[in-house]
Amino acid sequence: MSEKKIPVIIDCDPGCDDTAALLLAFRCPEFDIRAVTTVSGNVSLDKTTYNALRVTEAIGSDVRVCPGADRPMFRDAVYAPHVHGEDGLLGIPLPAPQKKASFYKAWDFIYEEAVAQKGELEIIAVGPLTNLSIALGKYNDLAGLIKRIVIMGGAAQGGNVTPCAEFNIYVDPEAASMVFRSGIPLCVCGLDVTLKAYLTAQEIKNIKALGTPQAELFAGVTQENCEKRFCPAGAPLHDPAAVLFAADSSYFTVQRCWMGVETKGTITLGKTVTDCWSDAQKEPNVDLVLDVDRERFAARVKELMGKY
Ligand code: BDR
Ligand code: CA
């Protein structure tokens, strides 16, 4: 690993797996986390922001939390309380945060930081892509200033909200389409890889047994049976997969290809369409992450949680 840390902003909608992702990201030596930005997604913006504040406080970080969009670009909000609970954290009791949300809006801080980092800033986007699309709309030169966006979203095959759409893309397909067409280097960790990035019930117990409040929180938000249908072997760590890929991609499998977002379909709304298994090849715009060495992934999760 090089000495220089990667300046990153984590754009998220906590959210259970977002919380696991934050717990891991703040112990990755690879990152210099400049801000956490929040968006309407798993629950409403006021709740995702409140959760980001209390989770980062539980982590012991005074990182800036910048609230972003309270609804998708052109559509009504869609939430996922059946997965994350009404409060977004399955009712897990965490102390109320002492710190307040930043006065910066997510898109303004993303731009200011992109300028300040002179082309080195990376974004890890693990919620709907509304904040990034607003940033791109507001700041014409932003695309050229971001080094890379690692996205948890979409799927080359299948979906978890509809037969062909994944939640983060389905919630705001127009925003996702704008990001996919932005020209910014993109790495897409969709369901293809995140359903393979799971922890078994025993591995979750082992993390809980580390005995720290943070390990307890990680285990609490990582429910082994919540996506049994999609991932019978354990609990898929969707958002953590994007974080750990951004930190070290060496044990992931990537295919360079084109990917776009269906914004007009009725039954296909929010589908991420790719040419990775097609003869009709288009100009590639993404590194599509398709597989992971699960044992290494699980070991890294344990190692990072052991740092609390
Ligand atoms: C994604 O949707 C959200 O519910 C999770 O936080 C994750 O970002 C998985 O489809
Ligand atoms: Ca998320």
Side-chain angles (χ1 to χ4, degrees):
M1 196 188 80
S2 71
E3 287 299 301
K4 186 153 170 15
K5 289 176 182 269
I6 306 165
V8 295
I9 289 177
I10 302 178
D11 189 46
C12 60
D13 59 337
C16 288
D17 58 328
D18 303 77
T19 296
L22 289 169
L23 284 160
L24 294 167
F26 276 91
R27 285 297 173 274
C28 283
E30 294 87 348
F31 297 144
D32 170 15
I33 302 176
R34 309 298 304 163
V36 171
T37 55
T38 55
V39 66
S40 169
N42 288 320
V43 285
S44 59
L45 178 72
D46 55 337
K47 292 178 185 172
T48 60
T49 305
Y50 184 74
N51 290 342
L53 288 166
R54 56 190 183 139
V55 167
T56 54
E57 225 162 84
I59 286 169
S61 163
D62 62 357
V63 70
R64 176 187 273 113
V65 173
C66 306
D70 63 1
R71 58 184 181 279
M73 296 281 274
F74 305 113
R75 297 173 187 273
D76 291 338
V78 177
Y79 304 129
H82 52 291
V83 180
H84 302 266
E86 286 298 331
D87 68 346
L89 286 189
L90 295 173
I92 293 169
L94 274 182
Q98 298 297 309
K99 66 179 179 183
K100 300 266 176 283
S102 170
F103 61 87
Y104 268 106
K105 284 294 192 186
W107 38 88
D108 294 327
F109 191 77
I110 288 170
Y111 181 69
E112 285 206 14
E113 195 61 24
V115 172
Q117 295 296 336
K118 300 185 171 68
E120 291 303 310
L121 181 68
E122 300 197 11
I123 314 273
I124 304 174
V126 296
L129 294 166
T130 321
N131 290 343
L132 280 164
S133 69
I134 292 174
L136 288 166
K138 184 166 178 183
Y139 299 104
N140 281 340
D141 56 338
L142 178 62
L145 292 169
I146 295 179
K147 188 164 188 185
R148 169 171 93 152
I149 308 176
V150 177
I151 294 170
M152 188 286 128
Q157 282 187 314
N160 59 0
V161 191
T162 74
C164 59
E166 179 279 331
F167 180 81
N168 289 339
I169 307 297
Y170 178 80
V171 167
D172 198 345
E174 286 80 10
S177 177
M178 199 163 156
V179 172
F180 277 70
R181 290 183 289 107
S182 66
I184 300 170
L186 303 177
C187 298
V188 177
C189 296
L191 297 174
D192 316 286
V193 64
T194 65
L195 289 173
K196 295 171 188 153
Y198 63 85
L199 291 190
T200 65
Q202 186 57 52
E203 287 164 344
I204 298 168
K205 278 193 196 127
N206 293 345
I207 288 177
K208 187 171 180 175
L210 292 168
T212 58
Q214 293 85 2
E216 178 88 19
L217 176 59
F218 182 96
V221 294
T222 307
Q223 299 285 316
E224 186 252 332
N225 53 6
C226 93
E227 292 177 87
K228 232 12 183 200
R229 221 183 94 225
F230 299 111
C231 185
L237 297 185
H238 301 290
D239 295 349
V243 164
L244 294 201
F245 176 88
D248 175 8
S249 61
S250 66
Y251 55 97
F252 291 81
T253 306
V254 173
Q255 186 167 330
R256 182 113 193 108
C257 63
W258 174 83
M259 191 171 244
V261 181
E262 175 60 81
T263 58
K264 299 277 188 287
T266 47
I267 56 174
T268 55
L269 184 69
K271 178 173 175 55
T272 44
V273 180
T274 174
D275 64 3
C276 80
W277 298 298
S278 152
D279 283 340
Q281 304 290 300
K282 288 165 74 95
E283 185 66 32
N285 62 338
V286 303
D287 283 335
L288 181 61
V289 188
L290 288 169
D291 205 352
V292 62
D293 179 335
R294 197 207 75 87
E295 300 302 318
R296 280 189 67 184
F297 177 82
R300 183 94 212 262
V301 170
K302 174 102 185 289
E303 178 235 323
L304 290 169
M305 288 311 301
K307 293 186 176 185
Y308 283 99

